[in-house]
Structure formats: structure tokens, C-alpha cells
């Protein structure tokens, strides 16, 4: 019998709990600060047991999954390092950025021989809350594992196997670079476009009537939550700053070509973008 | 009876022709270099008559609408200036950028007392060709008029009234700035993001499996036609370069705030983008 503790019963954590709790070999204990979420989860069979505090249940756990918002994960890792845990326990998380979390885990868990594997699934919707627990949420979704050791990653992968994700070991550097390019920078560009348009043209209600599909697409994610994105952007600082410089350089190539009336350079730049975009969704 | 000449029977021109030709008071003559387009237009009642050359039909026209690709419009304005036209004729166009066209019209038509009104409808799809003539294409669509004089713009608007567009007089400067911000810059950003992602992560087939809705939205218009967009970007040089600098400044504000761990500035930047995006489609 595996004793699995899931901390944070939001959409991501509750979905994990629900799938894993269905396995006869598992017993999932949910931890959340919200009492309503806990009783909902118990009532709906999402968890076997519930606790309002990790400290009370950590010592029996074979696996501890930290699925809270990213800003609380480091704090929980620190508190885990103060507890006496099972010798073979694996601690993992679901945070979307990894460097800071891996650094803290290495600093406080590794010296105590507590095994930590960073995790990040490219899953999740705009919904939040335990009532969105979804058994298909992770199906065929890339799920990155940042292993402290290969054997720990394999053990975790075996336990998580019922969620049917596509597990992929990756280095923390590669992971954070990838997230910067495919998620963080697009958000910054979308925010920047919306702000610049407003600065140049005035209130968006006045120019909104003119915009076509392109502008709407490019600014859709500018409606994302400010607090969440402030946290995300600050937690992936190094990789974002590198990619931002590269984006600005690329924009300057366009400006220079336009300034020089250099049709041939523009054709090359646009053609390579077009080609890459065409290939993006081929696989 | 108004004699209306429409040059270029693509989606835009053919739709104009079809609507205007239905009015009993109009007779529309289509001009196109493609013989098949001309006979299709005649066979389907899109035009009353057809000609392969503007020179043959210009002298009888009350209105001449230049609806060819933007790169041919200036050439046609120059050739019109060499012809003897009706005294009250109005020449207009459908080009998406206006400064260069207005400059040429002022240089060669104004001295001959030929009235020119720049036109640009925010209509059109990805389709091309006379067979896409669509009587609803302009309905409730913003249609910018850049008047040489208000009275000419009013006369043109009366003639175009059956297309049921939302006509809006605008200065050439305001028009080109608006196009730079809502259309040209979003395209450049999309091209730049796609190129930077490929430069950083390698072939797009390798990272395509990881991208979510945000990245897909932000790069959708990167698949646009390179030749067309090279022409568009070069034809709106001044306004684009101004907006590009402002976008780069805005991106640098984000980089600086991230570098300084300045959560409060990030919150402000993201919140204003979110607010503007929420208001964009209110009206």
C-alpha cells in the first residue's frame, strides 16, 4: 500500500489525487488550508483521508506531492526538511518554474537524504478549485521531471503512471529556457503590445472597433491574472532576461531592414518565421 | 446614371463591384489583367461591362476605384494623371497603407484638378479571387476615408452607401499610426517570436509538442504571406519604426522590473494590460 499525500487540492492537485486514489494499491491523503475543499474531496472520493496540515501526515507518506501555487512550494520544502520522514519517501512538486525550487530542495532536503524530483505538467486550464478534478487532465500531456537521480525519477514515474502523461526527464536549465520561450515571453509580448497600443492610441474602447483577428489573438493572454504572472515572471528571471534580449534583437533586425528598405532581408525573416510556424504543429 | 470603374476584381474589388452594380443608377465596368476573372464577373452580373485596360474606360468614368494589390496603385495613379478624365470624377483606392499613395496622388493628380480620396476598409479574408465576391463583405466594417476635401469624401461616401460600411474620415497620419499599432507591429512581433523560439530551441517540430494556447495564438499570424507582408511593412515605414521603438521600450520596462525583482512595477504593467484588454471588445 502506497501512502500518497497531495498538498493543495486545486485543479492540478485534485486531479492527481482523484486518479491516484482510484488505484487499489494507493491511499491518497489530501492536505488543504480550505476546509470546504477537503470535505468536498472526501465526499467525492477524490481522497481517502484529509488533513489541514502537512506536518500531521508527512511522516507516514511514501510520496508527497506539493501542488500549491508556486509561491508556497519553497516554504513547504523547508518545513518538510524539519520533519522526520520515511527513509524512501519521494517529494515532488507541480510548480511551473523550477530553478528556485530545485535550489531550495538541494539546499535543505539533500543534506537530510530526502529525495526530491521536480515536476511540471503542461496541463491545467483557467479553472481553479477542487470541483474541477478531472481524470483526463494529464492524459498525453508532457510532464517534465527534473531528477535529482534517475532512479528517483523512475520510481516517481511508476507511481504517477495512472495519470497517463508523457513523462520527460529534462535539466532544470533546459526546462526554464523552454518555459521562458514558449510561455513567459509570449505573455510579456502580449502585455507589452496591449500597453503600447493604449499609450499610442488612447483608451482601448476607442480603437477596439478597428482591430482584426491578428491583434485579438496577440493580446488574448494579456488578460491573464496580474498576481499570478508577476510571481511566474519573477521566478524564472534568468531565462526570461536572456530570451527578452534575443526578442529585442530580433525586433531590431526588422526595424533595421524596414529603415533600409531592405526587402530581401524582410523576405528572409518573414519566410523563416512562416516556415517554422507551419512546422510547429506537424507532430 | 453613374459610370463606376473598378480596377482589380479580387475579393475586395469584386465585392464592391457586385454591390454597386445592383443599383439601377449605376453601371459598373470591371478592369482586370486576368481575362478569366473578367468573363466570370460579366457572366455572374458582378459587372455590367469589362475591359482589360484602364486607359480604354477611364474617360467615361464618374468614379474610379483602384482595388489592386497595394504595389500597383501608385503606378495606376500616375497613368491616370496622363489621361483626360471627366471634370467631376472621383478617384479612390483600397490600399491598406496610405501615406505613399496620398503623396503620389497629391503630386500628380491634384495639379490636374483630379479629385482623389484615399480609402481603406477593414474588410477582406484570406480568400482571393473574383469568385469570392461577397455582398456582405463591407457590412458594418470600418471604412476609412482620407479626404483631399470633405466634399469629395461626402460624394464618394454617397456613392459607396450601398455597401453599408461604417465610413470614417481620418487623417493619413492617424490612419497609418493605427495600422502600425493594430496590424503591422502585431505581425512583426509574431514573426520575431517564432524566429527567436526557433533560434533558441531548435527546429519547431521538436518543441511544438510542448506549446500551449498562448504560444499558438501569438504565432498564428506568423504564417502570413512573406511577399505581401514585406510590401506592407515597407509601405508604412515611418509609423512602424515609431511604434517599434515604443514596443521595445515597453519590453525593456518588463526586463528592468524582472531584473530588479520589482513586483510592484510588474503588477502595475500587467494590470494595465489586463484592464485594456478587457475593455477592447466592450463596444
Amino acid at each position: 500500500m502506497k501512502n500518497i499525500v497531495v498538498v493543495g487540492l486545486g485543479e492540478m492537485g485534485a486531479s492527481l489525487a482523484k486518479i491516484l486514489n482510484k488505484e487499489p494499491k494507493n491511499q491518497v491523503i489530501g492536505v488543504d488550508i480550505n476546509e470546504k475543499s477537503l470535505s468536498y474531496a472526501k465526499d467525492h472520493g477524490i481522497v481517502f483521508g484529509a488533513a489541514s496540515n502537512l506536518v500531521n501526515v508527512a511522516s507516514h507518506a511514501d510520496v508527497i506531492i506539493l501542488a500549491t501555487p508556486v509561491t508556497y512550494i519553497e516554504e513547504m520544502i523547508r518545513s518538510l526538511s524539519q520533519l522526520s520522514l520515511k527513509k524512501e519517501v519521494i517529494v515532488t512538486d507541480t510548480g511551473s518554474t523550477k530553478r528556485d525550487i530545485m535550489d531550495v530542495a538541494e539546499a535543505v532536503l539533500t543534506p537530510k537524504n530526502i529525495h526530491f524530483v521536480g515536476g511540471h505538467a503542461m496541463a491545467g486550464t483557467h479553472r481553479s478549485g477542487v470541483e474541477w478534478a478531472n481524470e483526463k487532465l494529464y492524459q498525453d500531456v508532457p510532464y517534465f521531471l527534473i531528477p535529482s537521480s534517475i532512479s528517483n525519477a523512475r520510481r516517481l514515474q511508476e507511481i504517477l503512471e495512472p495519470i497517463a502523461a508523457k513523462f520527460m526527464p529534462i535539466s532544470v536549465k533546459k526546462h526554464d529556457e523552454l518555459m521562458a520561450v514558449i510561455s513567459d515571453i509570449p505573455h510579456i509580448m502580449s502585455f507589452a503590445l496591449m500597453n503600447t497600443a493604449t499609450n499610442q492610441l488612447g483608451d482601448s474602447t476607442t480603437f477596439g472597433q478597428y482591430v482584426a483577428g491578428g491583434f485579438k489573438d496577440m493580446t488574448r493572454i494579456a488578460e491573464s491574472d496580474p498576481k499570478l504572472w508577476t510571481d511566474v515572471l519573477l521566478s524564472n528571471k534568468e531565462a526570461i532576461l536572456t530570451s527578452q534580449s534575443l526578442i529585442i534583437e530580433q525586433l531590431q533586425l526588422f526595424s533595421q531592414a524596414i529603415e533600409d528598405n531592405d526587402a530581401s532581408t524582410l523576405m528572409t525573416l518573414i519566410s523563416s518565421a512562416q516556415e517554422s510556424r507551419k512546422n510547429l504543429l506537424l507532430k
Side-chain angles (χ1 to χ4, degrees), chain A:
Chain A
M1 182 64 70
K2 291 274 180 205
N3 193 313
I4 300 174
V5 171
V6 176
V7 190
L9 296 177
E11 184 192 31
M12 304 286 282
S15 298
L16 275 173
K18 188 173 187 179
I19 303 165
L20 297 175
N21 199 44
K22 278 206 160 176
E23 301 286 309
K25 64 171 188 284
N26 295 334
Q27 229 171 42
V28 175
I29 310 296
V31 177
D32 204 290
I33 46 169
N34 185 330
E35 286 294 339
K36 278 190 193 163
S37 299
L38 284 178
S39 46
Y40 182 98
K42 268 189 79 170
D43 294 349
H44 290 76
I46 292 170
V47 298
F48 170 82
S52 58
N53 197 320
L54 176 55
V55 176
N56 306 334
V57 293
S59 61
H60 301 292
D62 298 297
V63 181
I64 298 172
I65 301 174
L66 307 175
T68 62
V70 68
T71 36
Y72 301 106
I73 293 173
E74 290 175 35
E75 190 184 317
M76 283 188 299
I77 291 174
R78 288 183 203 281
S79 69
L80 280 174
S81 72
Q82 306 298 319
L83 304 176
S84 107
L85 304 178
K86 278 195 178 176
K87 189 166 170 284
E88 287 303 314
V89 66
I90 293 184
V91 180
T92 186
D93 77 311
T94 62
S96 62
T97 52
K98 296 267 72 94
R99 176 170 299 276
D100 293 354
I101 289 168
M102 295 306 292
D103 285 352
V104 171
E106 252 166 59
V108 304
L109 297 182
T110 309
K112 306 256 169 112
N113 285 314
I114 302 170
H115 309 300
F116 185 84
V117 179
H120 175 213
M122 302 291 285
T125 66
H126 291 287
R127 295 158 176 169
S128 61
V130 65
E131 61 270 34
W132 295 107
N134 169 6
E135 288 173 60
K136 306 277 179 203
L137 188 69
Y138 296 94
Q139 202 168 294
D140 290 325
V141 162
Y143 195 123
F144 297 111
L145 295 176
I146 291 127
S148 51
S149 82
I150 295 289
S151 70
N152 290 331
R154 275 211 201 110
R155 277 171 58 217
L156 178 61
Q157 192 172 325
E158 274 165 32
I159 291 157
L160 294 181
E161 193 255 309
I163 71 172
K166 292 192 283 182
F167 294 99
M168 306 189 174
I170 193 170
S171 73
V172 63
K173 187 168 183 301
K174 282 273 173 208
H175 173 272
D176 287 358
E177 182 190 38
L178 182 65
M179 289 310 118
V181 175
I182 69 175
S183 178
D184 305 335
I185 296 290
H187 277 82
I188 295 173
M189 292 179 92
S190 190
F191 301 139
L193 176 58
M194 200 62 237
N195 284 342
T196 304
T198 311
N199 293 343
Q200 271 207 276
L201 305 175
D203 196 300
S204 59
T205 51
T206 64
F207 67 84
Q209 60 186 314
Y210 307 128
V211 306
F215 189 89
K216 287 180 204 165
D217 282 352
M218 296 291 292
T219 54
R220 190 183 61 80
I221 53 176
E223 236 185 272
S224 303
D225 182 61
K227 175 74 180 75
L228 178 98
W229 277 93
T230 296
D231 291 345
V232 170
L233 297 183
L234 289 177
S235 72
N236 198 17
K237 192 167 159 168
E238 199 182 318
I240 291 175
L241 291 177
T242 303
S243 292
Q244 280 268 96
S245 311
L246 295 171
I247 281 286
I248 290 172
E249 273 174 37
Q250 181 74 210
L251 290 173
Q252 281 162 341
L253 289 182
F254 277 87
S255 288
Q256 194 61 55
I258 292 168
E259 185 145 21
D260 298 345
N261 285 313
D262 182 353
S264 133
T265 297
L266 279 176
M267 274 293 283
T268 308
L269 288 169
I270 300 174
S271 300
S272 63
Q274 186 198 39
E275 178 76 11
S276 280
R277 183 56 172 82
K278 280 185 177 164
N279 294 335
L280 184 72
L281 306 174
L282 280 188
K283 266 194 189 167

